[in-house]
Amino acid sequence: MEKKCLEGLWVLELSHFISAPYAGQMLADLGADVIKIELPGEGKGDIARKYDPMYMNMSLYFASYNRNKRFLTLNLKSPEGQDIFKELVRQSDVVLNNFRPGVMEKMNLGYEQLKKINPGIIMTSLTGFGQTGPNVHRQALDMTIQALSGFMDLTGFPDAPPTKGGPAISDFFAGLYLTIGILAAYTYRQRTGEGQNVDIALFDTMFVLMENYPAIYHMNGEVPKRAGNGRPFSAPVGTYQAKDGAWVQISGTAEAHFEKLMTLIGHPEHVGQPGMVGAAMRKKQHEQLLNTEIQTWLGTVTGEEAVAAMDEYGIPNALVQTAEQVFNDPQITAREMLVWPEKNVLDDLPVVGNPIKMSQTPAQYHRSACAPGQDSEEILRELLGYSPEAMEQLKEKDII
């Protein structure tokens, strides 16, 4: 019998785009029963369903964050739909939503209303700026948040404009923090019986990525600057081009790694010399010299030769792989990071696996994302005891 870490956890998901659906998927992979609720009607579900590219009538964007869920259509704008939702809340543990602030309250489905129905309910709100502060009602997408959080100003090269991170970083981090918040609240409820509201903001989660820069700024007023592929306060670290054109990332900031790197590239005389002790000192006084010497050595070897040599010395390094190279990396296969759900509407296409590897209750991949309302009748029959006739009437009224 398959073991499920989160078996018995019931989640009602009202979400769209990436962040909240990703959190729901993480929970579903680990055994939670996640019911994704969307509006009935053509084109009225999660807006991500419309995003290209499409394959076998399914958005690959949507498919990437909505596996292992069950799908219910329900018109929450109608009194009947709200009543059904409240009946589901009575039997559920979590309401996961990323609507704009105030939307759930306008439907009389906010936390204060829902906890009267189920005092143990865990309500989540994932928004751009959270439920408090002057920016509560501002529109926010990933690039908005990357810009406002300071992340974009620190990304890119000093002589180039601020640059966004490649993927939608804030969405993924917010989804992960939302997952952590849900599990923490669930653990607390197991001890006390008390539910609570979990408030996650994309802005907050991106600010966390500022590392120790806020502390440095408040200590001495120093503002970190874009450092390209280097680091603002340490050296040597960067990407260098080998003689075959391959790019190699090298980190020699720790003293032990610096000593090994200098020995490997033929400059052991730097070790212990004034201005060469400590990554911060090397950054201030000798970064350009060190980068030149490292690049000179890289120009004499291929990328693979450089990696092999540094691996032998125990120096942190890596080839800069293209997306195609990563997709075919044997490490991806070994870690099961491309998976094929048992019931897959995408036929032969894989999806990205769950990075949480657990010995007793591993992530499971039962089904891919499905059509809106695919499981409506099953859910209403199983959880609320609705008859076929009652469900037919709901369909005729466009409630489900």
Side-chain angles (χ1 to χ4, degrees):
M1 184 176 179
E2 294 178 326
K3 298 179 180 179
K4 297 180 180 180
C5 183
L6 297 179
E7 186 169 10
L9 178 66
W10 289 78
V11 180
L12 302 178
E13 179 187 312
L14 307 169
S15 68
H16 50 271
F17 293 120
I18 297 177
S19 53
Y22 184 57
Q25 178 173 280
M26 293 285 286
L27 298 172
D29 285 352
L30 298 176
D33 194 322
V34 179
I35 298 173
K36 186 178 180 83
I37 299 175
E38 302 171 89
L39 279 173
E42 184 68 28
K44 292 185 178 180
D46 185 337
I47 193 172
R49 288 185 179 276
K50 304 175 184 178
Y51 284 14
D52 289 328
M54 307 291 289
Y55 182 73
M56 299 185 71
N57 296 317
M58 172 65 70
S59 163
L60 296 185
Y61 187 98
F62 182 84
S64 296
Y65 316 113
N66 287 283
R67 65 169 172 257
N68 284 338
K69 302 174 185 179
R70 293 198 284 173
F71 294 86
L72 167 69
T73 48
L74 186 61
N75 186 356
L76 293 179
K77 297 180 180 180
S78 68
E80 296 97 324
Q82 292 172 9
D83 288 342
I84 292 173
F85 181 74
K86 289 175 182 177
E87 290 182 60
L88 291 171
V89 167
R90 292 182 197 278
Q91 302 185 41
S92 300
D93 301 296
V94 178
V95 174
L96 191 164
N97 97 91
N98 65 339
F99 291 151
R100 295 188 310 277
V103 169
M104 292 293 284
E105 286 73 15
K106 286 180 181 178
M107 295 188 292
N108 293 314
L109 299 175
Y111 176 62
E112 294 301 321
Q113 289 83 22
L114 296 186
K115 74 176 183 179
K116 294 175 183 177
I117 299 169
N118 179 354
I121 196 68
I122 296 165
M123 181 82 170
T124 76
S125 300
L126 193 159
T127 58
F129 298 98
Q131 302 298 308
T132 56
N135 289 338
V136 163
H137 296 293
R138 288 191 66 181
Q139 294 288 323
L141 295 176
D142 173 67
M143 286 184 63
T144 318
I145 299 300
Q146 288 200 35
L148 278 172
S149 66
F151 182 88
M152 192 179 289
D153 186 57
L154 292 175
T155 306
F157 287 83
D159 56 351
T163 306
K164 77 176 185 71
I169 298 174
S170 67
D171 285 309
F172 288 107
F173 269 88
L176 291 174
Y177 277 107
L178 177 58
T179 304
I180 294 169
I182 289 170
L183 295 178
Y186 184 58
T187 301
Y188 177 77
R189 200 195 70 183
Q190 296 290 82
R191 297 200 313 268
T192 68
E194 296 179 15
Q196 59 185 297
N197 190 34
V198 180
D199 176 12
I200 302 291
L202 272 70
F203 181 78
D204 298 350
T205 61
M206 283 300 288
F207 186 71
V208 170
L209 299 187
M210 298 294 280
E211 296 184 358
N212 62 348
Y213 302 159
I216 292 172
Y217 170 74
H218 283 89
M219 176 181 68
N220 58 20
E222 187 172 356
V223 179
K225 302 296 183 183
R226 289 190 290 281
N229 291 326
R231 296 284 293 164
F233 305 111
S234 55
V237 58
T239 52
Y240 310 88
Q241 195 165 26
K243 73 175 184 180
D244 61 350
W247 287 94
V248 183
Q249 194 282 327
I250 302 174
S251 295
T253 55
E255 294 309 295
H257 298 147
F258 175 69
E259 293 175 11
K260 292 176 180 179
L261 180 59
M262 292 302 99
T263 300
L264 175 62
I265 70 172
H267 289 283
E269 72 277 6
H270 292 329
V271 177
Q273 292 301 304
M276 290 289 187
V277 178
M281 188 64 69
R282 292 191 290 269
K283 174 76 176 183
K284 291 179 179 179
Q285 296 190 20
H286 297 295
E287 181 178 36
Q288 186 173 349
L289 170 65
L290 292 171
N291 282 341
T292 298
E293 291 174 345
I294 295 170
Q295 181 57 68
T296 298
W297 174 71
L298 259 294
T300 67
V301 293
T302 66
E304 294 289 351
E305 290 169 342
V307 167
M310 286 186 285
D311 282 351
E312 185 175 348
Y313 271 74
I315 301 166
N317 76 95
L319 284 176
V320 178
Q321 296 197 116
T322 64
E324 183 178 12
Q325 288 172 318
V326 176
F327 299 153
N328 293 287
D329 191 321
Q331 185 69 17
I332 293 293
T333 302
R335 297 292 293 172
E336 298 182 340
M337 286 308 297
L338 283 176
V339 297
W340 286 259
E342 296 166 18
K343 298 179 181 178
N344 191 2
V345 300
L346 300 175
D347 192 22
D348 58 341
L349 289 191
V351 290
V352 175
N354 194 310
I356 300 174
K357 309 301 181 185
M358 304 178 73
S359 62
Q360 299 302 311
T361 55
Q364 298 171 18
Y365 310 101
H366 294 300
R367 66 190 300 196
S368 63
C370 300
Q374 174 109 1
D375 308 293
S376 293
E377 294 187 23
E378 174 188 279
I379 293 167
L380 295 181
R381 180 179 67 250
E382 174 187 313
L383 298 184
L384 304 182
Y386 276 56
S387 66
E389 294 76 19
M391 288 187 280
E392 193 60 37
Q393 291 178 2
L394 291 173
K395 288 180 183 178
E396 291 175 358
K397 295 180 180 179
D398 293 324
I399 305 301
I400 64 172

